[in-house]
Amino acid sequence: MTILDRDVVIIGAGPSGLTAAYELRKAGKSVAVLEARDRVGGRTWSQNMDGATIEIGGQWISPDQTGLYSLIEELGIETFERYKEGASVYLADDGTRSVYTGDDFPVAESTVAEMNKLIKEMDRLTAQVDPDAPWAHPQAAELDMISFHHWLRTISGDEVACNNVGLFIAGGMLTKPAHTFSALQALLMSSSAGSFSNLVDEDFILDRRMVGTMQGVSIAVAERLGEDVFLNNPVLKLDWSEDGVTAYGTDVTVHAKKVIIAVPPNLYSRISYNPPLPRRQHVTHQHQSMGLVIKVHAVYETPFWREEGLSGTCFGPSAIVQELYDNTYHEETTGTLVGFISDLQADAMFLLPEAERKDAILASMAKFLGAKALEPSVFYLSDFGAEEWTRGAYATSYDLGGLFRFGPDQNKNVGPIYFSSSDLAGEGYQHVDGAVRMGRRTAVRINAAIEG
Ligand code: FAD
């Protein structure tokens, strides 16, 4: 057993914990990072499969994500643009396939008008919401009382419009059905990206990727921290008092002045706190839960859809694979598609035996892009729901009424215990950018507290 004394111990070597450790080190503080897995990066993770680069977790960066942009500039990491040329494909609820260009889905003119009305109303409200304090909006209490599903239907009676617009936040972001979270939670999501229009614009929100993958960002930070990052060290026990903490990893114990718990909020209660956390945290932490999405990767000999003038971008609000994109890594000649299967559709897929699941998913992809999609050389499903140290994807959000009730306390420290996660961020909420912003912010707070 190694026993260490440090200024700050950080639990979790995802982008948030690593950024916090890096900033504290730059400010002259000693740190130790204890990570449960045998790798860094948390919900960002990449592997080479049969010659193709597969990003199993987070990968895209958007122009507003300046927290992450400034970090990668410091690390010397470059980005490349996602392939966006050509037409998109839309699959209507009745299975009709349409190839289209421009911003509007190829649906009835009246539905386009209703979708634009909903988007305008979301933009109007989003402009009034502070992503760092959505609960401070004058109508926050009532917006947190109504599900996003039902709120959309108070604005429009057009079911297709409501489902299509709902998808951008429900299946597309929080990865929960729209009836399980509030309109206020949806507004936090859109304000975290600057506007709802930014969020529905895939060319904005899925703009660029990292050369060397998104996990490469965490790897580069961990390299700078060197021997202060300890893998295979889940922390399941934490002693604390106003004077300091002791974090117990598997073979490393760290005594420190402060601790940063940089794990997703749904995992806070994996740690046994001695003495127990206060009532407020006990209750709050039960209202933050992970969404569920399967990220599907399929690699082909060539990006065949490009030859047909298609970008690879496909939407099907009621299809098994609701979104599909060209995800070919730069410099590769093979073609990679990435698809997303969210919440209820993901549940249904996991009920199927593996071979049937694969057939159902590929058949859904073929409805967008034709029979060539049926025979990939690599087929891989990201399954963060089955990962002990994540337990869902992409991130956590509150249940109905939780954001207004518990949100104001989510970022408060408990004595020497601080929380840092993309899931507690305002700008960049649920994204690597938010993880970086939270890591930096937490480091500044701790530094100030230590220096008194
Ligand atoms: P995490 O990345 O979850 O890191 C937490 C770390 O804590 C993990 O390494 C975990 O192993 C460790 N840990 C947990 N419990 C313990 C314990 N008890 N002791 C020690 N260590 C522990 N974001 C984007 O910006 N763009 C995207 O395109 C994007 N796509 C995504 C796709 C998927 C499939 C997923 C899952 C996420 C995606 N995200 C995306 C979200 C992004 O990956 C997360 O917001 C980000 O990784 C969160 O960083 P974090 O450091 O807060 O938490």
Side-chain angles (χ1 to χ4, degrees):
M1 173 65 72
T2 306
I3 300 180
L4 303 170
D5 272 300
R6 292 288 193 271
D7 289 321
V8 186
V9 56
I10 293 103
I11 301 176
S16 201
L18 288 169
T19 305
Y22 181 45
E23 293 299 319
L24 284 162
R25 171 77 84 69
K26 284 194 280 181
K29 301 292 172 292
S30 59
V31 298
V33 183
L34 300 183
E35 165 57 44
R37 289 176 160 104
D38 61 1
R39 61 170 182 85
V40 300
R43 282 171 272 171
T44 65
W45 183 22
S46 43
Q47 277 185 7
N48 191 289
M49 294 182 197
D50 211 14
T53 305
I54 303 294
E55 300 214 52
I56 298 166
Q59 61 169 71
W60 284 296
I61 182 168
S62 55
D64 60 320
Q65 296 184 335
T66 52
L68 177 55
Y69 263 117
S70 64
L71 177 63
I72 60 171
E73 199 178 321
E74 198 176 324
L75 299 171
I77 292 176
E78 306 269 320
T79 60
F80 68 95
E81 194 178 0
R82 181 174 68 86
Y83 186 83
K84 298 169 186 163
E85 282 158 44
S88 306
V89 177
Y90 178 81
L91 211 60
D93 292 353
D94 65 3
T96 311
R97 176 183 184 270
S98 315
V99 174
Y100 71 102
T101 52
D103 293 336
D104 295 331
F105 282 166
V107 290
E109 240 171 72
S110 56
T111 298
V112 171
E114 288 299 300
M115 282 182 68
N116 287 334
K117 183 168 91 181
L118 287 164
I119 291 170
K120 205 167 151 200
E121 180 59 6
M122 280 297 286
D123 272 337
R124 187 185 71 79
L125 282 169
T126 300
Q128 302 170 358
V129 168
D130 173 359
D132 282 325
W135 42 84
H137 186 276
Q139 276 106 49
E142 62 191 84
L143 287 164
D144 211 28
M145 256 181 227
I146 183 165
S147 77
F148 188 48
H149 172 100
H150 289 102
W151 180 83
L152 288 166
R153 283 153 182 83
T154 64
I155 313 289
S156 171
D158 185 317
E159 268 301 299
V160 176
C162 290
N163 280 334
N164 282 351
V165 170
L167 176 77
F168 290 117
I169 290 207
M173 287 286 156
L174 301 181
T175 60
K176 293 177 172 179
H179 60 267
T180 64
F181 61 86
S182 73
L184 187 67
Q185 182 74 56
L187 287 166
L188 163 59
M189 190 72 239
S190 51
S191 67
S192 76
S195 71
F196 187 69
S197 291
N198 281 348
L199 209 64
V200 305
D201 177 2
E202 75 279 1
D203 286 347
F204 180 90
I205 202 78
L206 313 179
D207 182 33
R208 300 182 75 84
R209 294 173 60 189
M210 301 296 147
V211 172
T213 79
M214 189 67 98
Q215 189 194 8
V217 177
S218 287
I219 293 171
V221 177
E223 274 167 11
R224 280 158 178 77
L225 293 167
E227 291 182 354
D228 283 331
V229 179
F230 299 87
L231 302 178
N232 300 308
N233 265 281
V235 175
L236 300 178
K237 187 172 163 229
L238 184 80
D239 294 343
W240 65 280
S241 71
E242 286 303 327
D243 297 331
V245 302
T246 304
Y248 300 90
T250 307
D251 50 34
V252 181
T253 295
V254 187
H255 302 293
K257 293 176 186 143
K258 311 278 181 199
V259 60
I260 301 178
I261 307 205
V263 314
N266 61 308
L267 297 183
Y268 291 158
S269 53
R270 289 269 357 242
I271 300 171
S272 176
Y273 304 83
N274 177 31
L277 290 177
R279 174 192 308 106
R280 186 69 177 162
Q281 278 68 30
H282 276 170
V283 178
T284 300
H285 298 163
Q286 294 180 61
H287 291 270
Q288 293 161 294
S289 60
M290 275 276 170
L292 179 65
V293 64
I294 307 172
K295 189 174 176 185
V296 186
H297 313 260
V299 180
Y300 303 88
E301 211 175 310
T302 61
F304 61 86
W305 51 93
R306 294 185 188 174
E307 292 145 28
E308 294 159 26
L310 299 176
S311 61
T313 300
C314 308
F315 295 103
S318 55
I320 292 172
V321 179
Q322 292 174 324
E323 303 167 71
L324 198 59
Y325 303 98
D326 185 323
N327 209 30
T328 309
Y329 188 67
H330 81 133
E331 293 175 343
E332 284 174 7
T333 53
T334 47
T336 302
L337 288 173
V338 67
F340 294 93
I341 303 169
S342 196
D343 54 85
L344 301 176
Q345 297 279 21
D347 294 345
M349 286 302 105
F350 283 129
L351 286 176
L352 297 177
E354 196 178 335
E356 277 178 46
R357 182 187 311 143
K358 180 177 176 186
D359 288 349
I361 292 170
L362 287 174
S364 176
M365 289 166 62
K367 282 189 185 145
F368 293 109
L369 293 176
K372 284 185 191 160
L374 292 171
E375 285 175 23
S377 56
V378 173
F379 178 80
Y380 180 82
L381 304 185
S382 296
D383 185 8
F384 275 91
E387 294 255 336
E388 181 176 13
W389 304 110
T390 303
R391 303 187 175 200
Y394 309 109
T396 61
S397 48
Y398 282 101
D399 52 18
L400 210 60
L403 182 59
F404 180 73
R405 185 175 167 202
F406 303 111
D409 289 335
Q410 69 182 10
N411 279 318
K412 290 186 179 155
N413 56 301
V414 175
I417 305 174
Y418 291 69
F419 300 95
S420 185
S421 163
S422 67
D423 307 13
L424 304 176
E427 281 175 88
Y429 169 57
Q430 295 214 348
H431 284 84
V432 177
D433 176 67
V436 169
R437 286 173 193 267
M438 283 299 298
R440 285 183 173 156
R441 194 183 297 180
T442 310
V444 167
R445 287 176 61 208
I446 289 193
N447 212 21
I450 290 179
E451 305 215 326

